[in-house]
Amino acid sequence: MIFVILGSQKFQFNRLLAIIDNLIEERVIEENVFAQIGSSTYKPKHFRYKRFLKHETFNQYVANSRVVVTHAGTGAIVNSLKEGKKVIAVPRLSQYKEHVDDHQVELATIFADKSYVLQANDKNDLADCFYKINDFNFKKYVSNNFKYISYLTDYIKQCAGKIDD
């Protein structure tokens, strides 16, 4: 199953939904697709969807998916990677009013350059991702939050010591 994540922000991502419908019509995608479409107004024709999902239901879809196609939001990407999913990140673009700027291009590129995800910017890219996803060597994502927590803990202890002086 392919799970499509469009996030919960106020921005539509109709372009991605229409591309997926088109790739299903062209039989590039032949497995079941389910999407969490958020604020998008496009209504998929060839796959099931819901606007928003409860947290538990959302996590079940991620767990049960083989592939996650997601907007290039950090949370959606990282959570899917932590679950060991094959991820295709499609950045929202400001020119289509999908976001206020193009920061998601930068985020998707960073994750793709490290081989954590495949990146698709348009229909042809997304089709290519589906053609190569089974053979692509995804790098295992390892969170380094413990480094940040350790750094902050040490810093707070250091600051606390200066207060006592």
Side-chain angles (χ1 to χ4, degrees):
M1 193 242 332
I2 298 167
F3 183 38
V4 179
I5 302 171
L6 301 191
S8 59
Q9 293 189 358
K10 63 181 178 178
F11 302 101
Q12 56 79 23
F13 204 176
N14 295 332
R15 179 174 58 97
L16 178 55
L17 296 171
I19 289 170
I20 291 173
D21 253 346
N22 193 262
L23 293 178
I24 292 170
E25 285 176 10
E26 294 176 2
R27 298 191 179 271
V28 172
I29 299 174
E30 295 189 301
E31 62 189 289
N32 289 330
V33 175
F34 182 84
Q36 175 268 314
I37 67 168
S39 297
S40 298
T41 56
Y42 180 90
K43 297 219 170 45
K45 299 173 188 119
H46 301 294
F47 57 97
R48 296 178 318 119
Y49 65 92
K50 281 222 169 202
R51 276 203 191 286
F52 299 100
L53 298 168
K54 292 181 181 175
H55 186 70
E56 301 80 28
T57 305
F58 181 91
N59 289 339
Q60 286 177 331
Y61 274 104
V62 172
N64 294 330
S65 65
R66 182 180 75 84
V67 174
V68 172
V69 177
T70 182
H71 70 116
T74 306
I77 292 172
V78 169
N79 289 337
S80 299
L81 291 174
K82 284 180 178 179
E83 289 294 319
K85 300 305 170 180
K86 295 178 179 186
V87 176
I88 301 172
V90 184
R92 294 172 177 270
L93 300 175
S94 61
Q95 74 186 67
Y96 301 115
K97 304 207 182 312
E98 296 163 349
H99 219 304
V100 296
D101 60 28
D102 290 333
H103 73 279
Q104 286 197 355
V105 175
E106 295 172 39
L107 287 169
T109 301
I110 290 167
F111 281 102
D113 284 351
K114 295 181 183 215
S115 297
Y116 292 128
V117 305
L118 291 172
Q119 180 179 351
N121 297 309
D122 57 31
K123 179 186 170 191
N124 291 335
D125 286 350
L126 190 55
D128 287 344
C129 288
F130 278 107
Y131 289 130
K132 67 182 176 184
I133 197 161
N134 292 328
D135 298 321
F136 186 79
N137 188 20
F138 288 93
K139 186 176 176 185
K140 183 172 174 34
Y141 178 79
V142 178
S143 174
N144 62 358
N145 284 349
F146 68 92
K147 288 182 184 177
Y148 294 115
I149 293 170
S150 177
Y151 171 79
L152 287 172
T153 302
D154 290 346
Y155 180 76
I156 290 168
K157 287 178 183 175
Q158 185 181 31
C159 289
K162 288 181 181 177
I163 293 171
D164 293 337
D165 292 341

